[in-house]
Amino acid sequence: MRLRLMEATVDCLVELGWAGTTTTVVSKRAGVSRGAQLHHFPSKQDLVVAAVGHLTERRREDMRRAAADLPETGRTRAVLEILSQQFVSPIFFAALELWVAARTDAGLRAEVAPLERRVGRETHAYAVELLAIDESRGDNRRLVQATLDLLRGLGLAASLSDDTKRRAAVLDSWAVVLDDELEVS
Amino acid sequence: MRLRLMEATVDCLVELGWAGTTTTVVSKRAGVSRGAQLHHFPSKQDLVVAAVGHLTERRREDMRRAAADLPETGRTRAVLEILSQQFVSPIFFAALELWVAARTDAGLRAEVAPLERRVGRETHAYAVELLAIDESRGDNRRLVQATLDLLRGLGLAASLSDDTKRRAAVLDSWAVVLDDELEVS
């Protein structure tokens, strides 16, 4: 029931945005009584923060499976593709709603900022692992950070219009840059 | 009076977010009667789209002045600094509110998407000019696109917490990459 509520929350954020996501709408969509919803998540804030946090974890498991068969040739581009998918997925758009709402809501920000830092650290570690680099070498650490900032920027662009083709071209170029600039162990 | 209304709109978006920005709040803040406000901008959508569009233009004039004395040494890093300021400015955070609201509002998106494309094209042309490159050479065009996507991602990160130090380090590295990878004329 907790999971159903969290999944309905992310669906609502994606379809209706922050303002349209009320606990009433979520309960109805999840087919859960108001009482049960309030028992699991006393406020909209509790519900939304838990939902985005939990589903981000699950999304990472999907990525882990996708990473199982990375090609030898064109590995960097394939890694960028896997990471990029995380930033154009429904869970990213749901997180974006949460993030932007938190900018002007101090109470929400107090919960969202640590969640974002944790997710950021985990995604960074995962990118390092997929790229199979030693991040203490050369400028590797900053290059990975720049890659994740780039992917976040591409995700934001994708939220407004479908720019799949442009994104693919930018990532093609970025893969070449990384292959040039990363110091491999 | 139009300008005062538009400036008050951006202030409201930055401080109160999309939902908190109502035409009533904006009129009061601008010291303009409801009737006069409705005369200039019949709806919240008209007001907000006009405000973000107009103030983005004015922001570009500021950048133009900042670009007047770019150093010979460290020019690329200085260009990144000027561009980056655009993505951590109040007008960017106001545009972010508009952008995210437009994702789930088809009527708003119909106006915001063309505005965003225009601003994107202009910023791209401006970046090419500042970097003093020929974008038909090598992979220059994609590298500029990637730079602007990176800056957008850094701006989004800056909306939630002050990460000035991290951003500076990423831009330091990125300047080195651009100097390596851009083909200069």
Side-chain angles (χ1 to χ4, degrees):
Chain A
M1 189 179 289
R2 275 182 70 86
L3 183 61
R4 221 156 71 220
L5 280 165
M6 291 193 284
E7 284 174 345
T9 302
V10 167
D11 289 349
C12 284
L13 284 171
V14 172
E15 278 173 43
L16 309 171
W18 174 260
T21 301
T22 63
T23 50
T24 314
V25 169
V26 170
S27 304
K28 194 176 279 180
R29 184 177 290 228
V32 167
S33 74
R34 279 287 280 161
Q37 178 253 302
L38 287 167
H39 169 74
H40 285 288
F41 302 103
S43 73
K44 172 175 171 177
Q45 182 167 318
D46 297 327
L47 176 60
V48 169
V49 172
V52 170
H54 178 74
L55 293 174
T56 301
E57 298 292 333
R58 301 221 321 168
R59 173 84 203 161
R60 184 165 296 113
E61 287 162 31
D62 293 347
M63 287 206 303
R64 227 162 254 288
R65 276 191 290 277
D69 39 19
L70 281 168
E72 276 299 308
T73 325
R75 181 185 171 98
T76 306
R77 182 64 182 82
V79 167
L80 289 180
E81 194 58 37
I82 290 172
L83 292 172
S84 156
Q85 288 307 315
Q86 190 182 16
F87 289 87
V88 295
S89 66
I91 181 73
F92 175 75
F93 296 138
L96 186 59
E97 294 288 336
L98 184 57
W99 200 328
V100 169
R103 196 183 62 77
T104 51
D105 178 336
L108 184 58
R109 195 164 59 245
E111 292 203 44
V112 171
L115 169 66
E116 197 286 321
R117 277 196 295 274
R118 181 165 60 79
V119 169
R121 271 197 306 272
E122 287 169 6
T123 310
H124 184 100
Y126 185 56
V128 167
E129 183 190 325
L130 287 186
L131 288 166
I133 54 167
D134 174 353
E135 71 166 333
S136 70
R137 294 188 59 151
D139 209 21
N140 286 1
R141 188 174 145 71
R142 294 300 176 197
L143 288 168
V144 172
Q145 287 194 322
T147 300
L148 297 175
D149 285 309
L150 169 70
L151 294 173
R152 191 185 307 113
L154 287 169
L156 182 53
S159 74
L160 203 55
S161 58
D162 177 11
D163 67 345
T164 308
K165 226 175 112 183
R166 188 188 77 86
R167 185 169 62 251
V170 168
L171 293 179
D172 287 347
S173 297
W174 193 268
V176 174
V177 168
L178 285 181
D179 283 336
D180 274 5
E181 304 279 340
L182 284 172
E183 287 193 25
V184 288
S185 342
Chain B
M1 187 179 290
R2 275 182 70 86
L3 183 61
R4 223 157 69 219
L5 280 164
M6 291 193 284
E7 284 173 346
T9 302
V10 168
D11 290 349
C12 284
L13 284 170
V14 172
E15 280 173 42
L16 310 171
W18 175 259
T21 301
T22 62
T23 50
T24 314
V25 169
V26 170
S27 303
K28 194 176 276 180
R29 185 177 290 227
V32 165
S33 75
R34 279 286 281 161
Q37 178 253 301
L38 286 167
H39 170 72
H40 286 289
F41 303 103
S43 73
K44 172 175 173 179
Q45 182 166 318
D46 297 328
L47 176 60
V48 169
V49 171
V52 170
H54 179 74
L55 293 174
T56 302
E57 298 292 333
R58 301 222 321 167
R59 173 84 204 161
R60 184 164 297 113
E61 287 163 31
D62 293 348
M63 286 206 303
R64 227 162 253 287
R65 276 191 290 277
D69 39 22
L70 281 168
E72 277 300 307
T73 325
R75 180 184 173 99
T76 306
R77 181 63 181 82
V79 168
L80 289 179
E81 193 59 37
I82 290 172
L83 293 172
S84 155
Q85 287 307 314
Q86 190 181 16
F87 289 88
V88 295
S89 66
I91 181 74
F92 175 75
F93 297 138
L96 185 59
E97 294 287 337
L98 184 57
W99 200 327
V100 169
R103 195 183 62 78
T104 51
D105 178 335
L108 184 59
R109 195 163 60 244
E111 292 203 44
V112 170
L115 169 65
E116 196 286 319
R117 277 196 295 274
R118 181 164 61 79
V119 168
R121 271 196 307 272
E122 287 170 5
T123 310
H124 184 101
Y126 185 55
V128 167
E129 184 190 325
L130 287 185
L131 289 165
I133 54 166
D134 174 353
E135 71 166 331
S136 69
R137 293 188 60 150
D139 208 22
N140 285 1
R141 189 175 144 70
R142 293 301 176 198
L143 287 168
V144 171
Q145 287 195 322
T147 300
L148 296 175
D149 285 308
L150 169 68
L151 293 173
R152 191 185 306 112
L154 287 168
L156 182 52
S159 75
L160 204 56
S161 58
D162 177 11
D163 67 344
T164 308
K165 226 175 112 183
R166 187 187 77 86
R167 185 169 63 251
V170 168
L171 293 179
D172 287 347
S173 297
W174 189 243
V176 174
V177 169
L178 283 181
D179 284 336
D180 273 6
E181 303 278 339
L182 284 172
E183 287 194 24
V184 288
S185 344

